[in-house]
Amino acid sequence: MLNVAVIGSGTMGNGIAHVFAQHGFPVTLIDLNQTALDKAWTTIGKNLDRQVAKGGLSEDDKAATLGRLQRSTSLADGVRDADLVVEAATENVNVKLDLFRQLDELTKPGCILATNTSSISITRIAAVTGRPDKVIGMHFMNPVPVMKLVEVIRGYATSDAVTEQIMDLSRQLQKTPTEVNDYPGFVANRILMPMINEAIITLHEGVAGVEEIDTVMKLGMAHPMGPLQLADFIGLDVCLAILRVLHDGLGNPKYAPCPLLVNMVTAGRLGVKSGEGFYSWTHGTKELVLAERFRK
Ligand code: NAD
């Protein structure tokens, strides 16, 4: 089995570590921050308990999964024996470029370097390493243990062999990999973010209210949640940052972020994480309550 190192133990990193360990891979989860690592440990434990309670996993499998997981705050120690690194650190281009420069020095020459970035160019990340053929995007969806898709993104120089290996590995995790090329937003966000932006423009222009827009898309298009609710879950700051990547990278005015989105982010209304976006989340995330501003 390949040795896997996962960098970043936040929302995505803990799920990625969980899924690899559950499918038999020895995993080291790495974070600069001990508190984040401890929190990830608790989350993985709870998520495994939920799988056991639902009958999807035996107690023995849970124990074996936990037995395959290690944690470290040292990048050098954590990646030394890795055959595959999956980077899921903070979405910041300088953080990623700095990490990949170090990874190129610290890992074995044959080690594949994957990133879970949502919006940063794989080709750009690969270019700071001496092994661009072994750098690839492995874009998991949130929540990782539940969502089936892995968007596998080939950088300009990613080799066929490495792409095939990551496609196979994703299947071993019981996921469905989809191969795409490295252009802004890849496929998932290139299609999702303009839809969310259009929903916000529709609201901004007074065509319909928040609930009406979300209801049309939920009941009319069979989406599990409406685009405005989804934007609140993703984080309006994250949506804005990805739209800017699309707008800058593709140069087409159709990707220009809606001024209402820009205002909401500037005012700190970021969705679930700040307690208010299109909806109010101070009562928790189970119940949908419109933000006061959008009530009629
Ligand atoms: P997060 O903020 O929850 O976690 C990031 C973690 O990275 C933090 O614990 C932080 O301490 C750690 N970190 C930062 N710099 C580090 C470094 N140099 N070395 C080690 N650890 C470091 O972020 P997240 O939401 O889990 O996102 C991680 C990545 O996954 C991003 O690239 C993001 O674009 C991508 N992604 C996120 C989602 C999502 O829904 N949250 C979905 C798909 C992809």
Side-chain angles (χ1 to χ4, degrees):
M1 274 293 186
L2 296 182
N3 277 317
V4 179
V6 176
I7 302 177
S9 66
T11 310
M12 298 303 286
N14 81 67
I16 296 169
H18 170 151
V19 166
F20 272 104
Q22 191 188 328
H23 291 90
F25 296 89
V27 180
T28 305
L29 182 58
I30 302 161
D31 204 292
L32 295 172
N33 182 330
Q34 183 67 46
T35 315
L37 270 181
D38 294 343
K39 198 172 156 218
W41 234 241
T42 311
T43 305
I44 293 172
K46 276 191 195 151
N47 288 341
L48 286 168
D49 284 342
R50 191 173 310 132
Q51 284 173 292
V52 172
K54 283 189 172 169
L57 200 71
S58 70
E59 282 288 351
D60 285 354
D61 286 341
K62 177 190 149 187
T65 300
L66 290 171
R68 285 189 281 269
L69 280 162
Q70 292 190 330
R71 53 186 145 170
S72 175
T73 51
S74 158
L75 187 66
D77 291 347
V79 302
R80 188 177 299 120
D81 297 323
D83 303 298
L84 168 69
V85 173
V86 183
E87 175 276 318
T90 313
E91 185 77 344
N92 171 307
V93 71
N94 293 323
V95 168
K96 307 260 187 212
L97 296 182
D98 183 46
L99 265 171
F100 275 76
R101 269 187 214 105
Q102 293 186 62
L103 288 172
D104 200 29
E105 298 289 323
L106 296 170
T107 56
K108 299 187 284 192
C111 176
I112 296 177
L113 305 179
T115 171
N116 186 50
T117 181
S118 301
S119 64
I120 299 168
S121 159
I122 309 303
T123 307
R124 185 168 177 203
I125 293 173
V128 301
T129 73
R131 60 181 99 176
D133 56 316
K134 296 190 184 65
V135 177
I136 191 161
M138 209 175 177
H139 188 202
F140 290 86
M141 306 290 133
N142 186 21
V144 182
V146 176
M147 298 289 279
K148 288 282 166 220
L149 179 70
V150 182
E151 199 179 18
V152 174
I153 304 132
R154 295 185 69 132
Y156 193 83
T158 310
S159 72
D160 291 344
V162 165
T163 307
E164 212 30 67
Q165 209 178 332
I166 294 297
M167 296 286 287
D168 279 348
L169 208 56
S170 305
R171 289 185 199 103
Q172 287 175 47
L173 303 178
Q174 314 263 284
K175 304 287 185 201
T176 302
T178 307
E179 184 182 324
V180 315
N181 289 315
D182 179 30
Y183 288 98
F186 317 134
V187 169
N189 283 319
R190 183 169 179 154
I191 296 176
L192 175 64
M193 289 302 161
M195 183 190 73
I196 286 176
N197 198 37
E198 196 60 37
I200 303 171
I201 296 169
T202 307
L203 173 70
H204 185 52
E205 292 183 354
V207 179
V210 170
E211 283 171 314
E212 288 74 13
I213 292 167
D214 274 357
T215 302
V216 166
M217 297 306 285
K218 256 193 305 198
L219 303 187
M221 316 300 152
H223 290 188
M225 68 174 81
L228 299 172
Q229 183 186 355
L230 180 59
D232 273 3
F233 273 100
I234 293 171
L236 300 192
D237 53 338
V238 173
C239 294
L240 178 59
I242 299 176
L243 278 162
R244 289 202 161 124
V245 167
L246 291 172
H247 193 216
D248 293 348
L250 297 165
N252 188 325
K254 76 177 178 179
Y255 298 111
C258 176
L260 173 60
L261 173 64
V262 176
N263 264 358
M264 289 176 75
V265 173
T266 308
R269 304 297 199 277
L270 307 181
V272 173
K273 68 176 124 179
S274 75
E276 189 190 304
F278 298 102
Y279 297 90
S280 168
W281 300 104
T282 45
H283 321 273
T285 52
K286 296 266 180 278
E287 198 193 344
L288 270 186
V289 179
L290 269 184
E292 188 154 357
R293 185 178 188 99
F294 297 112
R295 287 182 208 154
K296 297 212 174 93

